[in-house]
Amino acid sequence: MENKTIYILAIESSCDDTSAAVMCNNKTLSNIVATQKIHEEYGGVVPELASRAHQQNIVPVVHQALAKANIDKKQLSAIAFTRGPGLMGSLLVGTSFAKSLALGLNIPLIEVNHMQAHILSHFIEEDNYKTPSFPFLALTISGGHTQIVLVKNYFDMEVLGESLDDAVGEAYDKSAKILGLPYPGGPLVDQYAQLGNAKAFPFPKPKVDGLNFSFSGLKTSILYFIQRETKKNPNFITENRNDICASIQYTIVNILMDKLKKAVKQTGIKQIAIGGGVSANSGIRLALTEAESNWGWTTYIPKFEYCTDNAAMIGIVGYLKYKEQDFSDQHITAKARYVI
């Protein structure tokens, strides 16, 4: 099995990105992502529209992934797909397609946990990127999840702390909405933050026990702050946008780093990997890079293409499971809630 060339077709459809990738062992041959623009006018993902767009996108995206990889579907060793967590309608499209194609080609089917895949994306072989050794701590940060995970090996993970309410990505997007920025607003907050004074407006940090997070209180305090200031000055947001965004980002990054420091102290593990859409954020990347020199951590920051939802991260889990002969049968169903 070690010397065998394994080709995995991976499918990701957990939210609003349709993605397909072809892996040759632990290397990415292709990683195609079709984003859905329709949600922008609604200010957030509309589940029904997302699932319909997946149905339109999935065949051309898979076709493009195979063509770019220069692989015929008859060469595939297995099909890996996101089983969950995610939006049920979206997951059903990817799950149904993967099951049908695996059945038609008479090859194994491999189910993948989306959050586990964000963590294991660090094991995709890339030039100039190092992979973590076990055990390490993973901070998964996205629009739907915020977790600190103790990773003992590829398939032995323990959630040490998670958000009790909103995810960090939601805090970014809701803050952007309060400021009148278009969806998705998280990247825009990051963009403006780089031009502002991070200590211009202090926001409170929630007091949450252990390694858990909470972001709903921060969102509320930002809302009340903006309402109060715009009442005094209707042009407050326009005149202070960079400073407001910088202050929001500074607070969020501090919340995340405080919990990570606590997790390192609690476990004694100084290897930190990040994953998920928010790991593309410049403030978080900078804070982790500085932690290497400040506290002696070893940090692992993924390539931008592996931060947001993509099928290559599903493919690397598929490859690792293939080596273990860990396959699913045709009775497998999608799971909207699926713990690591």
Side-chain angles (χ1 to χ4, degrees), residues 156-200:
D156 184 3
M157 302 183 186
E158 180 188 351
V159 177
L160 302 180
E162 59 190 340
S163 180
L164 303 175
D165 40 59
D166 301 325
V168 64
E170 189 177 351
Y172 266 108
D173 285 340
K174 289 290 170 62
S175 298
K177 196 170 186 178
I178 292 165
L179 298 176
L181 300 175
Y183 177 86
L188 291 172
V189 172
D190 184 20
Q191 190 180 312
Y192 290 124
Q194 294 174 54
L195 306 170
N197 174 9
K199 297 185 180 177

Side-chain angles (χ1 to χ4, degrees), residues 8-12 19 21 78-83 94 98 102 108-112 311 314-319:
I8 304 284
L9 171 66
I11 293 164
E12 153 61 22
S19 182
I79 313 281
F81 70 99
T82 302
R83 185 185 181 193
L109 182 67
I110 302 170
E111 58 103 353
V112 174
I314 307 302
I316 188 65
V317 183
Y319 166 68

Side-chain angles (χ1 to χ4, degrees), residues 30-283:
S30 63
N31 188 24
I32 308 299
V33 182
T35 56
Q36 301 175 5
K37 300 291 183 187
I38 193 167
H39 306 286
E40 291 174 8
E41 60 188 281
Y42 297 97
V45 177
V46 182
E48 175 62 23
L49 296 178
S51 58
R52 290 186 189 193
H54 282 304
Q55 288 177 314
Q56 293 170 339
N57 293 340
I58 195 160
V59 171
V61 163
V62 168
H63 177 77
Q64 199 176 337
L66 289 168
K68 188 176 180 185
N70 198 25
I71 292 292
D72 187 272
K73 59 182 183 290
K74 290 173 185 167
Q75 293 174 262
L76 295 172
S77 309
I79 313 281
F81 70 99
T82 302
R83 185 185 181 193
L87 300 174
M88 182 53 91
S90 296
L91 291 167
L92 283 170
V93 177
T95 302
S96 302
F97 186 91
K99 287 167 69 174
S100 302
L101 189 56
L103 188 65
L105 295 173
N106 193 29
I107 56 176
L109 182 67
I110 302 170
E111 58 103 353
V112 174
N113 182 302
H114 178 87
M115 297 312 296
Q116 198 175 55
H118 272 306
I119 295 169
L120 295 180
S121 66
H122 287 277
F123 294 93
I124 298 171
E125 188 177 316
E126 289 284 341
D127 292 339
N128 304 317
Y129 276 82
K130 57 188 192 286
T131 58
S133 56
F134 303 112
F136 65 91
L137 295 173
L139 175 67
T140 58
I141 40 179
S142 67
H145 295 84
T146 307
Q147 297 177 326
I148 295 176
V149 182
L150 171 57
V151 186
K152 299 167 191 173
N153 64 45
Y154 296 126
F155 303 113
D156 184 3
M157 302 183 186
E158 180 188 351
V159 177
L160 302 180
E162 59 190 340
S163 180
L164 303 175
D165 40 59
D166 301 325
V168 64
E170 189 177 351
Y172 266 108
D173 285 340
K174 289 290 170 62
S175 298
K177 196 170 186 178
I178 292 165
L179 298 176
L181 300 175
Y183 177 86
L188 291 172
V189 172
D190 184 20
Q191 190 180 312
Y192 290 124
Q194 294 174 54
L195 306 170
N197 174 9
K199 297 185 180 177
F201 306 110
F203 293 109
K205 288 197 289 184
K207 292 180 173 61
V208 187
D209 290 339
L211 297 176
N212 290 324
F213 299 90
S214 171
F215 291 100
S216 62
L218 175 62
K219 279 190 334 189
T220 306
S221 70
I222 292 166
L223 175 64
Y224 289 168
F225 168 76
I226 294 299
Q227 287 175 340
R228 188 171 63 248
E229 295 301 324
T230 50
K231 203 171 182 180
K232 291 187 273 185
N233 174 11
N235 299 318
F236 178 76
I237 293 174
T238 310
E239 292 170 4
N240 298 277
R241 182 177 285 122
N242 294 346
D243 287 351
I244 298 166
C245 290
S247 300
I248 291 170
Q249 178 138 304
Y250 178 77
T251 307
I252 290 174
V253 171
N254 272 351
I255 291 168
L256 295 173
M257 293 306 293
D258 285 351
K259 292 293 183 176
L260 269 182
K261 282 186 265 185
K262 198 170 182 180
V264 169
K265 190 176 179 182
Q266 191 173 301
T267 61
I269 296 167
K270 290 189 174 184
Q271 285 198 108
I272 314 292
I274 57 168
V278 183
S279 61
N281 180 278
S282 67

